[in-house]
Amino acid sequence: MSDIIVSIQNLEKTYKTESESLTILKNLNLDIEKGKKITIVGESGSGKSTFLNIIGGLDNATGGLVKCGEYELSHLDENRLSLYRSHFLGLIFQFHYLLKDFTALENTFLPALMAGLSKKEAVEKAKELLCDVGLEKRLDHLPGQLSGGERQRVAVARSLINDPTLILADEPTGNLDPQNAKMIGELLFSVVDKYRKTLLLVTHDMNLAKKGDICYTIKNACLEKVEVQETA
């Protein structure tokens, strides 16, 4: 039985206007094995976030095949796409996207409630995850009462609430100061290991990229494997 949980073949993404077309991704191929931590670096505008958005079902490919688990993304209707996002994926973005009128605990358990878990189970699971990220004393705090690093810790906990197979993280430390960025990076890899998740992470932070099993860059619209040197 194959351990490949993400299979991407000849992926292409082209943006077209009346006067021109711009190919961001071309003949891009990638297989990701279960439990691997893959990082992607590259210049701004190289297509890293577009690539992640296609895998996340937030953008559509122009051509090629993207299969994640049992889901072939080009063939998903809205119901299946919603199921894919809520059960197969955990998403972490540069901005936390916490609901400002809900506590850290509520922000964490709401996706589980929406996915059909009972409130009691959802709350208990959320408390456990928030303890894992060091926020056991901040459960009842609103996002406005949390620091930037704490808000992103809530986002990490929330990404795990529905026991996803794949975590997609797009510049999760990009809005943080160096100290918090290092802390969130270490935390993310720690909880991914603890819960045996597969991680695909886009980052500008070379120290964070180095934590992955394999690092790629997007160059000339294609993926290339790179050796990442730690920066000072």
Side-chain angles (χ1 to χ4, degrees):
M1 186 175 178
S2 174
D3 283 333
I4 302 296
I5 66 161
V6 176
S7 181
I8 298 166
Q9 300 171 20
N10 301 316
L11 178 66
E12 182 174 316
K13 179 63 178 180
T14 300
Y15 292 100
K16 292 184 178 181
T17 65
E18 291 182 1
S19 59
E20 63 179 352
S21 66
L22 177 64
T23 297
I24 301 293
L25 305 170
K26 180 175 65 176
N27 297 329
L28 192 150
N29 296 277
L30 178 65
D31 286 336
I32 302 177
E33 294 179 11
K34 185 177 181 180
K36 290 293 185 181
K37 297 178 286 291
I38 307 300
T39 58
I40 299 178
V41 297
E43 298 177 357
S44 295
S46 63
K48 304 185 304 299
S49 290
T50 298
F51 179 53
L52 218 61
N53 286 341
I54 290 172
I55 298 173
L58 304 172
D59 199 353
N60 296 316
T62 309
L65 171 77
V66 179
K67 187 174 183 183
C68 300
E70 64 184 68
Y71 301 93
E72 189 175 327
L73 268 57
S74 62
H75 294 161
L76 298 184
D77 59 23
E78 282 302 315
N79 287 336
R80 287 279 288 166
L81 188 57
S82 177
L83 199 64
Y84 168 67
R85 289 189 192 131
S86 63
H87 288 83
F88 190 86
L89 294 181
L91 300 171
I92 308 170
F93 299 98
Q94 186 170 347
F95 186 71
H96 53 77
Y97 293 112
L98 300 181
L99 300 173
K100 65 182 180 67
D101 296 324
F102 290 80
T103 65
L105 181 61
E106 291 166 337
N107 267 287
T108 304
F109 75 65
L110 275 174
L113 212 58
M114 294 171 67
L117 206 63
S118 72
K119 184 172 182 180
K120 181 181 179 182
E121 289 177 301
V123 168
E124 288 188 5
K125 195 171 182 181
K127 284 181 177 178
E128 180 182 349
L129 287 168
L130 288 167
C131 286
D132 281 342
V133 299
L135 292 178
E136 60 274 7
K137 296 182 180 179
R138 311 287 274 174
L139 303 182
D140 297 323
H141 286 64
L142 297 170
Q145 299 170 314
L146 301 173
S147 69
E150 287 172 334
R151 289 192 288 268
Q152 202 64 332
R153 281 194 253 174
V154 177
V156 170
R158 181 184 58 190
S159 75
L160 291 160
I161 191 69
N162 284 334
D163 195 24
T165 300
L166 175 66
I167 302 289
L168 298 180
D170 190 2
E171 296 284 3
T173 62
N175 276 340
L176 302 174
D177 61 79
Q179 184 176 352
N180 272 309
K182 182 179 180 183
M183 180 270 294
I184 290 294
E186 291 174 350
L187 175 69
L188 175 58
F189 278 87
S190 172
V191 293
V192 163
D193 282 338
K194 176 177 179 178
Y195 289 98
R196 299 179 180 177
K197 301 303 176 186
T198 305
L199 175 69
L200 180 57
L201 178 145
V202 162
T203 183
H204 280 97
D205 185 339
M206 294 303 173
N207 290 329
L208 187 56
K210 190 178 175 65
K211 294 180 181 294
D213 298 310
I214 307 172
C215 182
Y216 294 93
T217 188
I218 297 179
K219 193 172 182 180
N220 299 323
C222 298
L223 272 183
E224 296 181 8
K225 194 179 291 188
V226 294
E227 294 294 329
V228 180
Q229 300 298 320
E230 192 166 347
T231 59

